[in-house]
Amino acid sequence: MVNRILDVRGVRKNYGAFEVLKGIDLDVEEGETFAIIGPNGAGKTTLFKVMTGEVGCNGGQVLFDGADVTRQPSFRRVRRGMGRTFQVARVFNEFSVFDNVLVAVEAQFAAAGVPSGPRHTVRPGSAAVDRTHELLDKLDLSARAGTPAQSLSHGDRKRLELAIALAGRPRILMLDEPTAGMSPSDRTAAADLIRRIRASERMTVVMTEHDMGVIFGLAHRIMVMNGGTRIACGTPDEIRRDPVVRSVYLGREAQDA
Amino acid sequence: MFALINGLSAGMAIFLVAAGLTLMFGVMRILNFAHGAFFMIGAYVAATLVGSGPHSIATLIGGAAVGGAAVGLLGLAVERVVFRRIQHVEEHFMLIATFAVMLICVGAVKLIWGLDFVSVDPPPGLDGAVSIGDLFVPQFSLFVIGAGVAVFLVLELFIHRLWMGKMIVSITADRWMANLLGLNVPVAVTLAVVASFALAGVAGGLLLPNQTLSPGLGDAYLLLGFNAVIIGGLGNVRGAFVAAILLGLIDSFNAVLLPQAPGIAVYVGMIGFLLLRPEGIFAGRRA
Amino acid sequence: MTRAARLAVPTAAVLLLVSLPLWANSGVVFLAGVTMTSAVFALSWNLLFGYTGLASFGSAGFFSIGAYVSAVLLREGYGSLFLLVVVLAGLVGAAVSWLVGCVALRRSKGIHLAILTLALAELLRITLSHTRWLGSEDGLPNIPRPTLPFGFVSVDLAAGNNYYWFLCAACGVLTAALWWIAHGRFGRVLRSIRQDPERAAFIGIDVHACRLGAFTLSGGFGAAVGALYAPWSQIVTPDLGSMMHSTQPILFTLIGGATSFWGPMIGAAAFAVIDFGTRTLVGMSEIVTGSILLAIVLFAPHGLAGAWRRLAGARVRPNPNGNTAAGGAIGRPAMREGAW
């Protein structure tokens, strides 16, 4: 029996009188890649925010690895093993690339109770430095370690953010439109990167995405949203064949797939 | 009962300061530290004009008006040189810029008028007390109450009845939208800012009597004005009016009930307000 | 800049300060002592502003708590335990600061926090000025400078310039402690919170707890330096907690530069020079300081230290566009996020 790592039950969310999520259910199994798609305004990003704890919800439950995290602030969910990236990559602009990852590594060490080196010196502990270099290597950022994050290119920023998320040793990686604003060739590279990380860390991935090529190339299962409800959920093949999905969504973009 | 009149009068004095402050916040999103300094400049200008013993109520009001006009002009300059340019800097830097303006004003006051205390007596007609029933009320208190209500009514009329005022309200609510609608935002903003400064000057002139003028005068009023503005909800003139009266009453009853610790209840009340209703008493209605 | 040049400036500054009583008159020495305490006070404030992105306008409250604790204990004759008194004052400041932070930081940021802290400090000031056993509005005068026992030798800080040198050493220790906090792991965490609190939460940082920690530390250090100040001026009054005093560290930090650890110190020194240079013309010091502050907000938000660093950086690494102000342009929005 596979472990159900993320379980969302009847989540509702409204902004004022406007109901953005009208009772969403979904479950993600450990190790799979789960994609959420839907037209603009379907509620994907809001659902994402509710799952990660960025905003609260007005009803329903979010269970992470069997524990109810509905009321938990985001930093607790992160400490339980939830890593995330933002639609527009958010990194610490005034830090160098190295410090960006270092501060995330140190936060994980502190939360996990790993000693982070001698206290009397201000230099970061060697374990944290090694781990930081390891992550920078993994994401091809070693050459940029000393660069201030604010002068990075778009693609490098995205990779840096992924490094920051991985520093938390997440069990589940939540990616909000990982290829947003990228050129087609960058998208392929980003998808390859996600695939590589997924394989090397055996990680569960939940993502929202607009690019159908990326989605159908990566996802094991796909959930389709429209107007704050779930209209379909299944394997890529099932989704392709689903008449409802075809009519509301793929009708327009099926050619891209 | 005496405390009530006293409280009302103190409240109106606070409102006179808070009105300009809240107007400024409404249009510029700037909490103006320099407001107290402009209040003080208004008071000094008026005091210079009317001397230490004004001849009549009219002289006092005239002095206040000239003080207001002078400070309004000064405000125009400050708006052009400083405020317009700090519109898009970070909030803390705005506060600090207005603080710098305040420092310059305080310095100028010290340079021009020196460090000596100046005091002005109430003019004839305001120096006595009238009896209402079995109660003696200082005429000056009534004058301040009257002035406060008058300023409030003028502002009310201006904001809610006149085209220019409505425009300012719309800018307060959503500057971007107001721009989109083709409203002449810069002119309206300038007008509101100048009005705000002029109000500070007028307040300084009106509250002149029974006051010792010193370069530190601005601070005490500024802080109480801040309190009223925050409790009333930032940018809300009506809220500031109610809050100022509330603060005046609290202070006045504090003086009666807890004479050994005057001035404490206002701050306790204010801190409570900030924590419980950080958005002000009329939360959600920013007008 | 070469390593030698980098070391030369601070070394010269330290030598200048320490040797001051040997060649300057007592007025200048007194001013230097006050400036040192203000500088450390400003550093403690900047831990909150420049590192964590929170602006307190009531920091003088903590300074005055420390000063009063020290004044009362010294007048009661606990002079021989003065080092403990300073630590105790710091702990009292930290405890009060923790209490205030618990309530204030949860709900208010930006302007609200500024006004709330301002009101709390004012409340403290008014309470002090009505407390008879603390001297009401006149404060506590005649605070004795203590004698410190070190084993067999005891140093009488009341004699000659001894207290001045003690002040140099004590401020040095506090500065070193603040430097250590700011540059270590905790400092890194605080800076990440200032840049983007939400992103910080998503790497597993408990933003609220860290802000509270910074607030507590800042209050503790403010009180400790207040405790050092009391026997230097030998009088404490409720005005130590006034709004004008609260705005001093803000002034120093902004003049010197908030994004640099040493900025507040440079600002305090610059301010002391301005104050001293204009002492004969009443009001001039405010005008000069105000103008400089205004110019800095309008043209150089990183302060003197930032301007210097940019100049130095421009020389080392010339930018093809000649756009050396890039740091300023991008740095500011990042601070804005931190403020909310």
Side-chain angles (χ1 to χ4, degrees), chain B residues 28 38 40 78 92 136 150 166 178 187 191 218 229 255 275 286:
Chain B
M28 300 287 278
F38 286 106
M40 179 174 71
V78 170
H92 296 135
F136 279 98
K166 286 181 185 165
V187 170
L191 188 82
V229 168
L275 293 173
R286 285 192 160 184

PDB file of all heavy atoms in Angstrom, chain B residues 28 38 40 78 92 136 150 166 178 187 191 218 229 255 275 286:
ATOM      1  N   MET B  28      -1.600  61.731   0.786  1.00  0.00           N
ATOM      2  CA  MET B  28      -0.197  61.431   0.485  1.00  0.00           C
ATOM      3  C   MET B  28       0.275  60.106   1.069  1.00  0.00           C
ATOM      4  O   MET B  28       1.375  59.663   0.776  1.00  0.00           O
ATOM      5  CB  MET B  28       0.713  62.538   1.044  1.00  0.00           C
ATOM      6  CG  MET B  28       0.460  63.921   0.513  1.00  0.00           C
ATOM      7  SD  MET B  28       1.025  64.121  -1.173  1.00  0.00           S
ATOM      8  CE  MET B  28       2.748  64.442  -0.934  1.00  0.00           C
ATOM      9  N   PHE B  38       4.957  72.631  12.213  1.00  0.00           N
ATOM     10  CA  PHE B  38       4.227  73.656  11.474  1.00  0.00           C
ATOM     11  C   PHE B  38       3.170  74.316  12.365  1.00  0.00           C
ATOM     12  O   PHE B  38       2.921  75.514  12.266  1.00  0.00           O
ATOM     13  CB  PHE B  38       3.590  73.058  10.221  1.00  0.00           C
ATOM     14  CG  PHE B  38       4.601  72.786   9.156  1.00  0.00           C
ATOM     15  CD1 PHE B  38       5.018  71.501   8.874  1.00  0.00           C
ATOM     16  CD2 PHE B  38       5.189  73.833   8.466  1.00  0.00           C
ATOM     17  CE1 PHE B  38       5.980  71.258   7.921  1.00  0.00           C
ATOM     18  CE2 PHE B  38       6.145  73.600   7.506  1.00  0.00           C
ATOM     19  CZ  PHE B  38       6.546  72.308   7.231  1.00  0.00           C
ATOM     20  N   MET B  40       3.614  74.765  15.435  1.00  0.00           N
ATOM     21  CA  MET B  40       4.391  75.685  16.247  1.00  0.00           C
ATOM     22  C   MET B  40       4.740  76.952  15.474  1.00  0.00           C
ATOM     23  O   MET B  40       4.654  78.070  16.005  1.00  0.00           O
ATOM     24  CB  MET B  40       5.669  74.965  16.667  1.00  0.00           C
ATOM     25  CG  MET B  40       6.600  75.752  17.496  1.00  0.00           C
ATOM     26  SD  MET B  40       7.921  74.673  18.002  1.00  0.00           S
ATOM     27  CE  MET B  40       8.762  74.455  16.457  1.00  0.00           C
ATOM     28  N   VAL B  78       7.269  72.945   0.792  1.00  0.00           N
ATOM     29  CA  VAL B  78       7.706  71.640   1.284  1.00  0.00           C
ATOM     30  C   VAL B  78       7.156  70.522   0.407  1.00  0.00           C
ATOM     31  O   VAL B  78       7.845  69.555   0.079  1.00  0.00           O
ATOM     32  CB  VAL B  78       7.264  71.454   2.751  1.00  0.00           C
ATOM     33  CG1 VAL B  78       7.494  70.018   3.191  1.00  0.00           C
ATOM     34  CG2 VAL B  78       8.005  72.418   3.647  1.00  0.00           C
ATOM     35  N   HIS B  92       9.181  53.718   5.953  1.00  0.00           N
ATOM     36  CA  HIS B  92      10.018  54.234   7.037  1.00  0.00           C
ATOM     37  C   HIS B  92      10.769  55.483   6.604  1.00  0.00           C
ATOM     38  O   HIS B  92      10.952  56.414   7.366  1.00  0.00           O
ATOM     39  CB  HIS B  92      11.041  53.190   7.477  1.00  0.00           C
ATOM     40  CG  HIS B  92      10.403  51.974   8.057  1.00  0.00           C
ATOM     41  ND1 HIS B  92      10.791  50.707   7.738  1.00  0.00           N
ATOM     42  CD2 HIS B  92       9.384  51.845   8.919  1.00  0.00           C
ATOM     43  CE1 HIS B  92      10.054  49.840   8.385  1.00  0.00           C
ATOM     44  NE2 HIS B  92       9.187  50.508   9.113  1.00  0.00           N
ATOM     45  N   PHE B 136     -18.970  77.625  36.381  1.00  0.00           N
ATOM     46  CA  PHE B 136     -18.163  78.642  35.707  1.00  0.00           C
ATOM     47  C   PHE B 136     -17.300  77.990  34.636  1.00  0.00           C
ATOM     48  O   PHE B 136     -16.523  77.083  34.925  1.00  0.00           O
ATOM     49  CB  PHE B 136     -17.283  79.390  36.715  1.00  0.00           C
ATOM     50  CG  PHE B 136     -18.050  80.454  37.435  1.00  0.00           C
ATOM     51  CD1 PHE B 136     -18.564  80.230  38.697  1.00  0.00           C
ATOM     52  CD2 PHE B 136     -18.271  81.694  36.813  1.00  0.00           C
ATOM     53  CE1 PHE B 136     -19.279  81.201  39.357  1.00  0.00           C
ATOM     54  CE2 PHE B 136     -18.982  82.676  37.477  1.00  0.00           C
ATOM     55  CZ  PHE B 136     -19.495  82.428  38.752  1.00  0.00           C
ATOM     56  N   ALA B 150     -16.230  74.421  14.240  1.00  0.00           N
ATOM     57  CA  ALA B 150     -16.259  75.170  12.987  1.00  0.00           C
ATOM     58  C   ALA B 150     -15.332  74.532  11.959  1.00  0.00           C
ATOM     59  O   ALA B 150     -15.727  74.296  10.807  1.00  0.00           O
ATOM     60  CB  ALA B 150     -15.848  76.625  13.240  1.00  0.00           C
ATOM     61  N   LYS B 166     -14.718  65.892  -3.013  1.00  0.00           N
ATOM     62  CA  LYS B 166     -15.035  64.526  -3.440  1.00  0.00           C
ATOM     63  C   LYS B 166     -13.870  63.938  -4.210  1.00  0.00           C
ATOM     64  O   LYS B 166     -13.573  62.744  -4.114  1.00  0.00           O
ATOM     65  CB  LYS B 166     -16.299  64.542  -4.313  1.00  0.00           C
ATOM     66  CG  LYS B 166     -17.555  64.764  -3.492  1.00  0.00           C
ATOM     67  CD  LYS B 166     -18.783  64.755  -4.370  1.00  0.00           C
ATOM     68  CE  LYS B 166     -20.019  65.087  -3.563  1.00  0.00           C
ATOM     69  NZ  LYS B 166     -21.152  65.430  -4.415  1.00  0.00           N
ATOM     70  N   ALA B 178      -8.387  57.179  -9.664  1.00  0.00           N
ATOM     71  CA  ALA B 178      -8.670  58.596  -9.845  1.00  0.00           C
ATOM     72  C   ALA B 178      -7.888  59.138 -11.037  1.00  0.00           C
ATOM     73  O   ALA B 178      -8.406  59.887 -11.862  1.00  0.00           O
ATOM     74  CB  ALA B 178      -8.306  59.373  -8.581  1.00  0.00           C
ATOM     75  N   VAL B 187      -3.080  68.573  -8.816  1.00  0.00           N
ATOM     76  CA  VAL B 187      -3.626  69.809  -8.262  1.00  0.00           C
ATOM     77  C   VAL B 187      -4.391  69.530  -6.968  1.00  0.00           C
ATOM     78  O   VAL B 187      -4.213  70.201  -5.957  1.00  0.00           O
ATOM     79  CB  VAL B 187      -4.543  70.501  -9.284  1.00  0.00           C
ATOM     80  CG1 VAL B 187      -5.304  71.638  -8.618  1.00  0.00           C
ATOM     81  CG2 VAL B 187      -3.721  71.013 -10.445  1.00  0.00           C
ATOM     82  N   LEU B 191      -3.492  70.872  -3.289  1.00  0.00           N
ATOM     83  CA  LEU B 191      -4.480  71.622  -2.528  1.00  0.00           C
ATOM     84  C   LEU B 191      -4.674  71.019  -1.138  1.00  0.00           C
ATOM     85  O   LEU B 191      -4.660  71.726  -0.130  1.00  0.00           O
ATOM     86  CB  LEU B 191      -5.812  71.609  -3.290  1.00  0.00           C
ATOM     87  CG  LEU B 191      -6.856  72.531  -2.684  1.00  0.00           C
ATOM     88  CD1 LEU B 191      -6.606  73.945  -3.171  1.00  0.00           C
ATOM     89  CD2 LEU B 191      -8.255  72.073  -3.056  1.00  0.00           C
ATOM     90  N   GLY B 218       5.689  71.814  19.661  1.00  0.00           N
ATOM     91  CA  GLY B 218       5.113  70.917  18.655  1.00  0.00           C
ATOM     92  C   GLY B 218       4.912  69.490  19.154  1.00  0.00           C
ATOM     93  O   GLY B 218       3.899  68.871  18.879  1.00  0.00           O
ATOM     94  N   VAL B 229      -5.454  60.548  15.144  1.00  0.00           N
ATOM     95  CA  VAL B 229      -5.498  60.127  13.751  1.00  0.00           C
ATOM     96  C   VAL B 229      -5.525  58.609  13.645  1.00  0.00           C
ATOM     97  O   VAL B 229      -6.279  58.023  12.882  1.00  0.00           O
ATOM     98  CB  VAL B 229      -4.277  60.695  12.987  1.00  0.00           C
ATOM     99  CG1 VAL B 229      -4.138  60.037  11.640  1.00  0.00           C
ATOM    100  CG2 VAL B 229      -4.428  62.190  12.824  1.00  0.00           C
ATOM    101  N   ALA B 255      -7.570  63.500  34.831  1.00  0.00           N
ATOM    102  CA  ALA B 255      -7.091  64.554  35.725  1.00  0.00           C
ATOM    103  C   ALA B 255      -7.953  64.660  36.975  1.00  0.00           C
ATOM    104  O   ALA B 255      -7.473  65.000  38.048  1.00  0.00           O
ATOM    105  CB  ALA B 255      -7.055  65.888  34.984  1.00  0.00           C
ATOM    106  N   LEU B 275      -3.953  48.048  19.772  1.00  0.00           N
ATOM    107  CA  LEU B 275      -3.851  46.603  19.783  1.00  0.00           C
ATOM    108  C   LEU B 275      -5.172  45.946  19.414  1.00  0.00           C
ATOM    109  O   LEU B 275      -5.195  44.931  18.738  1.00  0.00           O
ATOM    110  CB  LEU B 275      -3.399  46.121  21.165  1.00  0.00           C
ATOM    111  CG  LEU B 275      -1.968  46.528  21.511  1.00  0.00           C
ATOM    112  CD1 LEU B 275      -1.651  46.162  22.941  1.00  0.00           C
ATOM    113  CD2 LEU B 275      -0.994  45.849  20.559  1.00  0.00           C
ATOM    114  N   ARG B 286     -12.622  54.388   4.906  1.00  0.00           N
ATOM    115  CA  ARG B 286     -11.560  55.382   4.824  1.00  0.00           C
ATOM    116  C   ARG B 286     -12.015  56.574   4.009  1.00  0.00           C
ATOM    117  O   ARG B 286     -11.951  56.556   2.793  1.00  0.00           O
ATOM    118  CB  ARG B 286     -10.333  54.774   4.179  1.00  0.00           C
ATOM    119  CG  ARG B 286      -9.590  53.852   5.101  1.00  0.00           C
ATOM    120  CD  ARG B 286      -8.257  53.545   4.500  1.00  0.00           C
ATOM    121  NE  ARG B 286      -7.354  53.070   5.560  1.00  0.00           N
ATOM    122  CZ  ARG B 286      -6.097  52.793   5.330  1.00  0.00           C
ATOM    123  NH1 ARG B 286      -5.583  52.969   4.152  1.00  0.00           N
ATOM    124  NH2 ARG B 286      -5.337  52.369   6.317  1.00  0.00           N
TER     125      ARG B 286
END
